[in-house]
Amino acid sequence: MNKIFRFCYSFSNYSVARREEKIIESGDSSNIEEKNMGLRLKETFYLSHGAPTLAVDDSIPAWNFFNSWKEQFPTRPSSILIISAHWDTHVPTVNVVHQNDTIYDFYGFPKSMYKLKYPAPGAPHLAKRVKELLLGSGFSHVDEDKKRGLDHGAWVPLLLMYPEADIPVCQLSISSNKGGTYHYNMGKALAPLKDEGVLIVGSGSATHNLRAIAPRGTPPAPWASAFMSWLKTSLLDGR
């Protein structure tokens, strides 16, 4: 398949291992590293960022994955488009800013968390390009937010992936009032960005509504457990 979607769990080597398996299955394992280099910016990544404390707690297994990102994917993107589960709007919205502020959209965490900064430059040109692609693909309306920075679904993983905070970042919202097909079509519309050096990242979790997954003091909801079981089985089977 030309389009590869990846879900990155807390074990850091899974993504690389699956990529190498696919190359071997294709009958050409003579130069895995060379082929991996060609795929690095052609993939779209879905990253489960976990709790905000991932930014400071290196005992979390996923910390090692994010912290070693540039070792596994050394190609520097021209800019980053990140879609976070923590920005939910009725219509697609991009942040059009020259400098991203750090949004602390979480509560009850250690005070040190609220001192962290990720001052990545904004990517207004990328934001305009995203809007152009969506409108050109039949989306009737795309909003611009000229004040919003990066929420923790964006800056927490990026703080570890690109700690220098020197790559322009644009954030795109999701619309939970729309269905999966709607967002799939958004992805199709944005696919040309991969040929323009843009790293596209979806950030959240497989099942993210914590109150619905496991209300306080109760085990996970059956639907959440069933979905996670299906997802893990599908990944291991390569589907």
Side-chain angles (χ1 to χ4, degrees):
M1 295 178 64
N2 292 327
K3 295 180 181 178
I4 302 175
F5 294 88
R6 255 184 238 299
F7 182 95
C8 298
Y9 277 101
S10 60
F11 42 100
S12 62
N13 292 327
Y14 179 81
S15 179
V16 174
R18 287 300 301 154
R19 185 167 55 251
E20 293 185 358
E21 286 174 20
K22 288 185 179 293
I23 293 171
I24 293 171
E25 289 168 3
S26 71
D28 183 7
S29 58
S30 59
N31 195 340
I32 288 175
E33 182 61 25
E34 180 180 346
K35 289 185 179 293
N36 281 347
M37 285 294 292
L39 287 172
R40 298 198 173 196
L41 277 179
K42 294 296 185 180
E43 298 185 4
T44 298
F45 293 86
Y46 177 68
L47 307 176
S48 181
H49 63 73
T53 48
L54 173 67
V56 295
D57 188 352
D58 62 6
S59 69
I60 299 174
W63 187 93
N64 292 317
F65 170 80
F66 286 107
N67 195 52
S68 64
W69 178 266
K70 289 196 293 185
E71 296 175 15
Q72 299 186 45
F73 305 99
T75 302
R76 178 187 170 90
S78 61
S79 53
I80 299 170
L81 175 64
I82 191 160
I83 302 93
S84 165
H86 296 281
W87 190 16
D88 195 353
T89 59
H90 288 291
V91 297
T93 307
V94 287
N95 74 325
V96 186
V97 298
H98 291 283
Q99 183 67 46
N100 280 300
D101 291 328
T102 305
I103 301 175
Y104 305 102
D105 53 331
F106 46 79
Y107 309 95
F109 286 87
K111 290 182 179 179
S112 60
M113 291 293 302
Y114 303 94
K115 296 180 181 179
L116 295 174
K117 300 286 185 182
Y118 192 75
H125 293 295
L126 175 57
K128 298 290 187 181
R129 178 69 172 137
V130 169
K131 183 175 182 177
E132 175 187 34
L133 288 170
L134 292 176
L135 292 176
S137 296
F139 288 83
S140 59
H141 192 79
V142 178
D143 277 345
E144 298 181 10
D145 189 322
K146 298 185 178 181
K147 295 183 178 180
R148 185 182 175 90
L150 303 175
D151 60 53
H152 82 271
W155 67 261
V156 165
L158 291 178
L159 181 68
L160 298 176
M161 295 164 66
Y162 299 102
E164 298 83 2
D166 59 354
I167 299 175
V169 180
C170 171
Q171 187 166 343
L172 171 65
S173 68
I174 64 168
S175 299
S176 62
N177 59 317
K178 305 294 197 300
T181 301
Y182 180 88
H183 290 90
Y184 175 77
N185 289 332
M186 286 179 64
K188 288 174 61 178
L190 298 173
L193 295 175
K194 296 189 293 181
D195 294 321
E196 299 171 16
V198 178
L199 173 63
I200 305 174
V201 175
S203 175
S205 187
T207 50
H208 201 276
N209 188 335
L210 302 183
R211 292 184 180 86
I213 294 169
R216 185 169 296 179
T218 65
W223 67 265
S225 297
F227 178 71
M228 286 303 298
S229 178
W230 169 84
L231 183 60
K232 291 178 180 179
T233 300
S234 297
L235 284 168
L236 293 174
D237 288 346
R239 294 199 294 264

